[in-house]
Every structure is written in C-alpha cells, then in structure tokens.
Amino acid sequence: MKEQTCEILVSGIVQGIGYRPFVYNLAVELGVNGNVMNLGDAGVRILAQGKNEVIKQFIEQLKTRKPKLCVYDSFRVKWDTLPPNFDSFEISKSSSEKTGIGFSYLPPDISICDSCLKEIDSNDSRRSSYPFNSCVDCGPRYTVIENIPYDRPNTVMIDFPFCSECEDDYTNSKDRRFHAQTTCCLNCGPVYSLFSNNGKKISISDQLELVKFLTEEIENGKIVAVKGIGGTHLACSTINDEVLLKLREAKGKRKYKPFAIMAKNLDAIDKFAVINSEEVDLLTSFRKPIVLLQRNGNYYLSDWVAPGLNNIGVMLPYAGIHYMLLKEMEEPTLVMTSANPSNYPMYIDNQEIMNKLHYVDYFLLHNRIIYQRNDDSVIRINKLGNQVSNKFLRRSRGWVPEPILSHIDIGNQTLLGIGAEMHLIPSLMKGSKVIPTQHIGTVTLIETFEYMLDAIEHLLKLYNAKIDTLAYDLHPQYLTSTSIDEIGERFGTEESFAFQHHKAHIASVALENKINHEEEIIGIALDGTGYGSDGKIWGGEIFKGKIYDLERVGHIEEFALPGGDLAVKYPLRSLLSLLTHEYARDEILEVTKNLWYYLPKGREEVHFVLNQLEKNNFYSSFKTTSTGRFLDAVSTYLNICGEQTYEGEPAIRLEGHSLQSMKKENLPSFSIPYNRVNSSYTINVSKVFTQIEEVRNKYSSAQLGYAVQESLGSAIGELCNEISEKTGIEQILISGGVSLNSIIINKIVKEIDSGNTSFTNEKISPGDGGVSVGQIYLLALRKLGFFTKNA
C-alpha cells in the first residue's frame, strides 16, 4: 500500500505537558515516520508518514490517548500528496513559526507527582532527597518560563546545563524525563542553601541534613523563610502560641488575619478539620490549592492560626521541599504564610528576602530564578441549595495561565481588563478566550502597580499580543483608574473605557456561564465597596436587563459612613448610623453602651458621631448601600468583632461565629422588609436591629448572627422573585465578595422560585479578583456594537 504524508496542527494545552514525547512514542509504536515540533504560538506541528490506515489510527490515538493535561482547542489534519521522505520519527528543534489556528496556552505550575516523590524517598535513586526533582508530568511551568516555545533555553533552567546523566534521561524516549524541560539532579540543578538571621551561610550542603536541622529548629519555636516555586513562605509551628504571636507582631498588619497551613497528608487534616469528598478532590489534585475547611470537634491547633474563625486554610505539599520538611517533622502541620507584608508583591530575590525579613531566624533559599511570582490559590466549597459550588477567594497558582472560555469572539483584537483595586487580577481577551493573570493583590503601592504591569507584559509576550483597548473601574480614585493613561502608553493603546464596578461583577457571571447577551437577567451584586454611577458607595445592588444595558432597580437602604474609611475600620460608626433609622439618641446610647470601647475615644467619640449624624454633616460620597458595611455593623452589635484589622474581618468573623450555631432549628425568626418607591426597591436592613434587641437575651450571638444573615438572604431572594414575576425574567446572576458568605448565598438560592435559575461564579472569584473578567466582557460587547447609556 502506498505511503502518505499528512500535516497535523494542534493548539490548546500542548506544550509543557509531555506532548511531544507522547507523540514520539505513539509514532514509534505504530510505525509512523516523520517529526513533531513546538511552534512559536505554543502550538505543535506533526508531520506523519505511513500507510493510510496506520496514519488514520495514529490520528485517532492522538485524540484518545493524549496526556491527561492535554486540551485540544483545534486539531487540523491536512493530507499531503508530496512524496514521503522520512525514514524515522524524531522530535525536531522548535520553531518560531505559528500554527495560525486555534489558541494555545501553557499549563499551570503542577505539583510534584508520586513517581518523583518516591525517588526523593528512595535511597537507591540518584535523586534521593533532592527537592527539585521533577519530570514530564510535574514541576513548575508558568513561574519558570520566559518565552515560548516551551523549551529549556526559554526557561530559567538555562542557568543549569544538563549533566551527562540528566541528558541521557532527557533524550531517552523510554524515560519519563524524555524532553522534560525542568529535569535536573543534585549534580546539575538548583539547590537549597541555609542562612542564619544575619545572612551568614550555614555550612550544611547535604539537602536532607539541611532539612533535618531546620525541622528541629521549627519545632523549637523558630521561624523560617522558605523560598518556593512562585514566592516565599514563612514556616513555623501551628501549635506554639508564642511563636505565632511573634510572627503576627513581626508581620505588622497581621493582628488577627488567618494564616494558611500545610499538612503532611489527609490523615493529618482529619485530626483537626472536617473534609468532604469534593474538598479531598481539590486538596489532592495536581493544582494543590489552599482549601478552607471547617474545624472539627478535635481541633488542637493554636487558636492564633485563624483567630475568631470556624474554618482554616489548608493545603497539601506541592513541592519536593514541602514534602521533605513535613516528612522529618513530628508535628504533621506547618504554618505556611506568604512572607511579604500585605499589599506588597511576594519576595522572590534572595537578597531582598534576607534584607526585608529581619525577624526570621533562618532563610532556606534556592538559586533558581522565579521568573513570575505566583501566590497560592484559595478555594472554599459552599452549599448552594441542594448542590455544592467551588468558590475562589484567590485564583492563581495551579490555574494560571489557563483561559476562561467565552461564548463570544472578538476576532483578532486583544482587550485588557485591569480590574479594580483590591485583590487585583487583570485579564486579557484574545478571540473567545479570557486569560486572567496571577493574583496581584491590592494595588495602592507603586511596587504592586509595577508588579501588575510586569504580569500583564509577560502574558502579552507569551501570546505575542498587543493590546487594542483597555477596560477599567469607574472609581475616580483607584490607582488603576488614575493611571489609565500611563497604562495605555505602556502597552501602546489610547483607547480605554470605564465600567461600573457591580455591573462588571454581574457581567463576570454572565461570561463564565455563557449567558446570551441578548437575554434579560436579574443581577445581584453584594460586596463591601464599589463606586456607584451616582458617586456614592454601592454594595447591595439589584439590576435587571441585558448585560450591556443593566438598570439598577433595587438596593440595600442607604446609610451614612461617618468618617468614611474610619467607619470601615471601626464599624460601630456604621452601626450608630443604621440605628438612627430606628432609634432616638437616648435609645441608641442605651443599646450600644457596652460597645463604646471599640472606638479609640470611647463615649466621647460616640457622641461626636451622633452629633454629626443629627446634623446630616456628611458628603454624599460617605453614603453607602454596602452589604459588607451592614454585616460589619451586625458583627459589632453582637459584640463579635468591632475593629477591622484585615479586609472584611468583621463580616467574615460574623459568618464564622454564626456557623458555630449547631441548633439551627431553634433560631429566632427575623424579617427584613423591602418597599418600592417608583421603580426602585429598597431593602430596609436597619429594621433587623429592633428585632435583635427584642430577643437577644433568649439566644446566643451565634444564633442571632445566623438568623440575621438568613433573613438578609431571604429578603433578597423574595425581592428577586417579585421582579421575576413582574418581568418574566428567569435567570438570576449573583456575584460580589459577600456572595462568598455561605449562609447568605445558600438562603438566596433556596428562596429563588423553582421556575428561575441562579448562576454564580465558580471559575473565577466572585470578589474583586473576578472584576476584570466582567470588565472585559462589557468591553467586548461594546466593541461588537452592543451598548447603551445605562451601562
């Protein structure tokens, strides 16, 4: 039978996952000649020569036997009539040429695989106790790549030439390190070194001995900076109150903010937390995120790991060094919290790490460059009605740079959504794909602003893209908004559009769930802060209409924020404001007298705030409809938390404290009413405080808190049902940071009539980390000609 030749062009996730070795071995197995090469747009070209039936079988098995991380965006076969000229199959040198089809992207950083862990454990392996062990199935990707195609010279591994043995592994088609770009060993790869507090190198070169020394020091109360894959962690004991308090004091703004921990294995987690099957799947996946788990009745870790909360952020080891540390420790858990202060980029340079972390006892640092910072992802699983839903608090390591697939296509344009200010994650859009960057953080400092620009620039380089148009937040004082011209100049575009914060939240749900932009929806946006179209601070909003033409039809009742940011830090100020809606001054003083200590000047400050409220002496910008600020006030009223030491703390602790209420059937019954004036609804949340006061001696603060949050969810759900009944709209989209609250979101979804369908964020964060995705969707619709004045 005459031989034929065909060209196969594939795009998707086909670089960095062992795809070329897979193609090579399959071709050799079937007797196909030809070659395979990486291309300059992260795609792959295969030239295959053989008998027609064999080539067809080869093509079919490329699809059915592909590596588990492989995703085909496009798979194009072109049969060639040229005479065959191959006498074997080979992996050819990569080319800068592009496929011209589909969309290709790199895999995220992949946690260390079981095979590599076994070698670390084995005394017979030449990679025994080598923390950088990796293969074609695991290891860093996004954090080490400088450019594409994904080949060793285009990664930071160019600094570590192969030794003869590693080169043999790399070129051996039967070895799992065949064309594994990060493969290395102790003789040729990166290594860890240990430094004391004063920066002096400690003369322990053996990697295992170094780990044994450190684990003993950690269990003796020392704090260690550990440079990892995408940044630097601070590691210490999870049961030693003294060292945890020392760490909190040293980190400055970390008075009560929870620390993430790393556990040796699932058995270790089971001793202090409740784990369901969905959480197990996340914890053990190749992504290895931090998962928020509920404490169990046997919780034995220090309360200073996550003060005032009923959940705890837990992850399993995802790098060789993590595994080695926990294997040698008697304690099965470690605090593993980011070393950088809040709002600063992660520390990745060795000298900077030692200069900035003066309070650390030891530095465990490696000599491999971290080309891109990449913080740990954080997820919680919420119950929504009868289902469970993944909720990102932070989408980063393990997911970046995977795209979100959209249902609209912008063709050859490239759009950029900047995001807002807090929890920033910018996003690019090319064709029908939206590609979020890694988690950047809160952009109020020039260092974080530059990190944001660098992360965007890196994505543009990887995808050989140039930005055509920018989207940003309507807030006039965000650094990302005031600097939009500078950002545009940096990336060579003058066209930009601002979008309202909460409409972008709703749009992010629409894109993720592929909601047709010509269909009308009801949108619920619940968060702490967002600049409204009227110049006020919104945060408890109900919209209706098409995504590109949303109309605000309801909101939480407006109340003053006495002192603006002071009311955020000290929510008793917001509480006083809300209480003026229901109580006279003397009554307010009576019901709050046990809470005055929350304010720096106590009674004097309470009277000052009330005087200002009586005079209505506030700018309109200090008026809000924020759900977050309302929940903060409830948290203070129930004496759960009266000072914000980290973003969202009073509301977060209200939820955590309320979830401790085990007898939910004995909850008080509260009702938050809403009313309609003209075409706008108002949810009168202040009415709940008089209801609390009537029964507060009969119930615990946990029961009262749970009932308040359920009543808010119930009111929002009932209101949406009424709007749905009047308009016939059946799709209800829910987003915003407060939608992470499991009590409220579960009640909203339960309350929604069975004829309606609710949609939430699952692939991106419902908080401000997902705003850029909504912005980019609204921008894409504008570019496609869908937009009106309301948007």
Side-chain angles (χ1 to χ4, degrees):
M1 186 179 292
K2 184 179 177 182
E3 290 196 338
Q4 284 189 290
T5 303
C6 74
E7 177 188 63
I8 305 167
L9 292 174
V10 295
S11 63
I13 304 184
V14 289
Q15 291 191 22
I17 55 166
Y19 187 75
R20 288 178 301 171
F22 154 70
V23 173
Y24 174 91
N25 284 318
L26 180 61
V28 171
E29 176 188 325
L30 297 178
V32 173
N33 294 333
N35 63 43
V36 58
M37 70 171 66
N38 280 343
L39 298 179
D41 59 357
V44 168
R45 171 191 283 148
I46 304 165
L47 294 178
Q49 169 195 313
K51 294 179 181 179
N52 184 272
E53 289 305 313
V54 174
I55 296 294
K56 287 181 178 178
Q57 185 181 4
F58 176 63
I59 291 169
E60 180 63 24
Q61 293 192 27
L62 284 173
K63 298 175 181 178
T64 58
R65 291 172 57 183
K66 62 185 175 64
K68 67 178 182 179
L69 294 181
C70 173
V71 176
Y72 290 131
D73 183 73
S74 177
F75 191 105
R76 190 177 76 184
V77 179
K78 180 182 178 183
W79 291 94
D80 203 333
T81 57
L82 294 175
N85 56 358
F86 301 110
D87 54 15
S88 65
F89 198 93
E90 65 178 22
I91 295 178
S92 296
K93 184 178 179 181
S94 297
S95 168
S96 59
E97 187 183 344
K98 298 172 175 57
T99 61
I101 64 164
F103 181 87
S104 291
Y105 47 100
L106 296 169
D109 298 312
I110 303 168
S111 63
I112 188 168
C113 69
D114 290 342
S115 296
C116 285
L117 284 177
K118 286 177 183 176
E119 289 176 337
I120 289 177
D121 267 347
S122 172
N123 293 328
D124 298 328
S125 167
R126 67 185 187 87
R127 293 183 175 88
S128 175
S129 301
Y130 181 57
F132 296 92
N133 195 19
S134 69
C135 68
V136 76
D137 294 324
C138 71
R141 298 292 191 270
Y142 187 70
T143 50
V144 299
I145 188 168
E146 298 183 22
N147 211 338
I148 52 176
Y150 178 68
D151 292 315
R152 197 178 183 94
N154 285 334
T155 74
V156 299
M157 293 303 292
I158 194 174
D159 296 333
F160 303 96
F162 287 132
C163 65
S164 59
E165 290 175 292
C166 282
E167 188 156 20
D168 288 344
D169 294 340
Y170 184 83
T171 56
N172 180 0
S173 64
K174 303 302 181 186
D175 196 288
R176 75 176 196 282
R177 292 182 175 83
F178 184 42
H179 279 262
Q181 306 306 326
T182 57
T183 194
C184 55
C185 71
L186 188 61
N187 297 323
C188 65
V191 292
Y192 273 102
S193 298
L194 185 61
F195 300 85
S196 63
N197 173 267
N198 61 11
K200 184 178 179 181
K201 188 173 182 179
I202 297 174
S203 56
I204 305 176
S205 58
D206 182 276
Q207 303 287 277
L208 180 58
E209 291 305 313
L210 184 150
V211 165
K212 287 180 176 179
F213 172 83
L214 269 185
T215 53
E216 186 175 340
E217 291 295 289
I218 290 171
E219 289 181 325
N220 286 332
K222 297 296 191 289
I223 300 170
V224 179
V226 182
K227 184 180 176 184
I229 288 176
T232 303
H233 287 113
L234 297 178
C236 71
S237 169
T238 59
I239 59 176
N240 185 325
D241 286 354
E242 185 178 346
V243 70
L244 287 164
L245 288 169
K246 176 186 173 184
L247 181 56
R248 289 193 173 280
E249 183 177 355
K251 288 207 70 176
K253 297 179 181 179
R254 206 68 189 239
K255 187 175 181 181
Y256 298 117
K257 192 173 183 179
F259 292 140
I261 70 168
M262 185 173 281
K264 183 179 294 186
N265 50 38
L266 291 174
D267 287 341
I269 297 173
D270 198 48
K271 289 180 169 60
F272 61 83
V274 178
I275 329 174
N276 61 37
S277 59
E278 291 85 5
E279 289 160 344
V280 168
D281 289 345
L282 276 173
L283 285 163
T284 57
S285 71
F286 73 86
R287 304 179 191 275
K288 294 288 195 305
I290 296 170
V291 181
L292 294 190
L293 303 175
Q294 301 297 313
R295 299 186 186 193
N296 65 21
N298 299 317
Y299 181 85
Y300 68 90
L301 308 180
S302 169
D303 285 335
W304 287 105
V305 170
L309 301 179
N310 77 315
N311 57 23
I312 184 167
V314 186
M315 57 183 157
L316 291 174
Y318 59 85
I321 192 64
H322 303 151
Y323 178 81
M324 291 173 66
L325 285 167
L326 283 161
K327 183 188 175 189
E328 296 300 324
M329 289 187 63
E330 289 187 21
E331 295 178 31
T333 56
L334 272 173
V335 164
M336 289 292 265
T337 187
S338 297
N340 53 291
S342 295
N343 302 338
Y344 280 86
M346 287 174 289
Y347 297 147
I348 57 175
D349 176 76
N350 287 359
Q351 197 57 53
E352 180 185 37
I353 293 167
M354 289 192 283
N355 289 344
K356 297 287 181 67
L357 301 176
H358 54 85
Y359 55 86
V360 166
D361 296 297
Y362 296 101
F363 301 94
L364 182 60
L365 308 177
H366 61 70
N367 57 338
R368 183 174 69 194
I369 294 171
I370 297 174
Y371 191 73
Q372 279 293 303
R373 297 171 172 90
N374 206 359
D375 214 339
D376 298 317
S377 294
V378 185
I379 296 181
R380 69 182 290 180
I381 292 181
N382 278 357
K383 187 176 181 182
L384 298 183
N386 297 321
Q387 299 180 332
V388 294
S389 173
N390 290 353
K391 296 297 176 188
F392 277 102
L393 281 74
R394 181 196 299 156
R395 182 186 188 272
S396 203
R397 179 190 54 76
W399 275 268
V400 176
E402 287 183 4
I404 310 296
L405 306 183
S406 171
H407 55 302
I408 62 169
D409 194 319
I410 58 169
N412 295 325
Q413 300 179 82
T414 300
L415 307 181
L416 172 65
I418 292 292
E421 180 179 77
M422 303 185 76
H423 311 295
L424 195 81
I425 297 178
S427 295
L428 293 180
M429 186 172 191
K430 281 175 64 72
S432 61
K433 311 296 190 301
V434 177
I435 313 115
T437 71
Q438 67 269 46
H439 170 77
I440 304 298
T442 297
V443 182
T444 54
L445 303 168
I446 191 63
E447 293 91 341
T448 316
F449 183 76
E450 288 296 330
Y451 170 32
M452 174 194 76
L453 296 177
D454 177 67
I456 295 168
E457 202 159 55
H458 184 56
L459 276 187
L460 290 172
K461 183 168 71 170
L462 290 182
Y463 295 114
N464 191 32
K466 180 184 179 299
I467 295 168
D468 294 290
T469 313
L470 302 171
Y472 63 100
D473 195 275
L474 189 64
H475 199 298
Q477 295 178 348
Y478 284 168
L479 181 58
T480 51
S481 302
T482 58
S483 304
I484 196 64
D485 290 340
E486 178 186 337
I487 296 169
E489 184 177 350
R490 171 81 170 255
F491 297 117
T493 181
E494 296 181 356
E495 188 174 51
S496 60
F497 296 94
F499 296 96
Q500 201 280 320
H501 187 86
H502 301 96
K503 294 179 182 180
H505 271 309
I506 300 304
S508 74
V509 183
L511 182 137
E512 179 182 327
N513 289 280
K514 298 181 172 61
I515 305 294
N516 188 316
H517 54 274
E518 290 288 24
E519 294 178 1
E520 292 202 331
I521 60 95
I522 297 169
I524 305 169
L526 309 174
D527 66 3
T529 299
Y531 189 77
S533 303
D534 58 1
K536 298 176 182 178
I537 300 302
W538 292 3
E541 312 306 314
I542 312 293
F543 301 97
K544 75 173 180 67
K546 297 175 181 178
I547 291 299
Y548 59 85
D549 189 22
L550 290 176
E551 175 190 1
R552 187 192 193 204
V553 295
H555 54 80
I556 280 177
E557 72 179 293
E558 190 177 279
F559 58 97
L561 283 178
D565 287 345
L566 277 175
V568 178
K569 182 170 179 57
Y570 301 108
L572 178 53
R573 286 172 164 263
S574 296
L575 174 62
L576 293 171
S577 173
L578 282 158
L579 291 178
T580 62
H581 295 203
E582 299 297 320
Y583 287 113
R585 183 184 183 116
D586 288 348
E587 293 172 313
I588 293 172
L589 292 172
E590 178 62 26
V591 298
T592 63
K593 63 185 179 183
N594 294 328
L595 306 173
W596 296 352
Y597 71 94
Y598 279 130
L599 295 179
K601 295 184 179 180
R603 181 179 182 278
E604 178 186 349
E605 192 167 341
V606 169
H607 280 281
F608 173 79
V609 169
L610 289 174
N611 288 340
Q612 296 299 304
L613 286 165
E614 287 172 359
K615 296 175 184 177
N616 196 24
N617 197 13
F618 297 102
Y619 296 110
S620 63
S621 60
F622 283 5
K623 297 290 182 67
T624 189
T625 54
S626 166
T627 311
R629 301 294 80 83
F630 162 67
L631 295 173
D632 290 349
V634 173
S635 185
T636 300
Y637 196 54
L638 297 178
N639 211 1
I640 295 168
C641 180
E643 179 186 359
Q644 184 187 95
T645 66
Y646 59 88
E647 197 257 326
E649 179 184 4
I652 291 169
R653 290 180 63 178
L654 170 66
E655 181 198 11
H657 182 74
S658 301
L659 287 170
Q660 297 173 18
S661 176
M662 300 306 293
K663 296 181 179 179
K664 297 187 177 66
E665 68 277 7
N666 294 327
L667 294 175
S669 177
F670 296 146
S671 175
I672 296 179
Y674 60 84
N675 65 288
R676 184 179 183 185
V677 178
N678 297 321
S679 60
S680 181
Y681 292 90
T682 299
I683 302 171
N684 298 300
V685 292
S686 62
K687 298 290 185 184
V688 82
F689 292 105
T690 55
Q691 297 174 54
I692 294 172
E693 199 59 32
E694 289 173 1
V695 299
R696 71 183 308 161
N697 293 329
K698 300 178 182 178
Y699 298 96
S700 69
S701 57
Q703 291 172 309
L704 293 168
Y706 198 102
V708 170
Q709 290 164 93
E710 274 213 324
S711 65
L712 176 61
S714 182
I716 293 169
E718 289 172 6
L719 174 53
C720 288
N721 288 335
E722 182 170 320
I723 295 171
S724 174
E725 186 176 339
K726 291 179 182 295
T727 62
I729 301 172
E730 297 179 346
Q731 298 182 108
I732 300 175
L733 281 56
I734 312 167
S735 191
V738 172
S739 70
L740 287 164
N741 182 302
S742 60
I743 303 171
I744 295 173
I745 186 72
N746 188 37
K747 190 63 176 176
I748 292 173
V749 171
K750 279 185 174 180
E751 200 69 40
I752 290 172
D753 287 342
S754 58
N756 299 327
T757 306
S758 61
F759 298 89
T760 61
N761 296 109
E762 290 193 11
K763 297 176 183 175
I764 57 170
S765 171
D768 282 6
V771 164
S772 67
V773 173
Q775 290 174 346
I776 218 166
Y777 185 33
L778 293 174
L779 177 58
L781 291 175
R782 176 183 282 275
K783 299 289 282 186
L784 293 171
F786 301 96
F787 229 72
T788 67
K789 61 181 181 180
N790 284 333

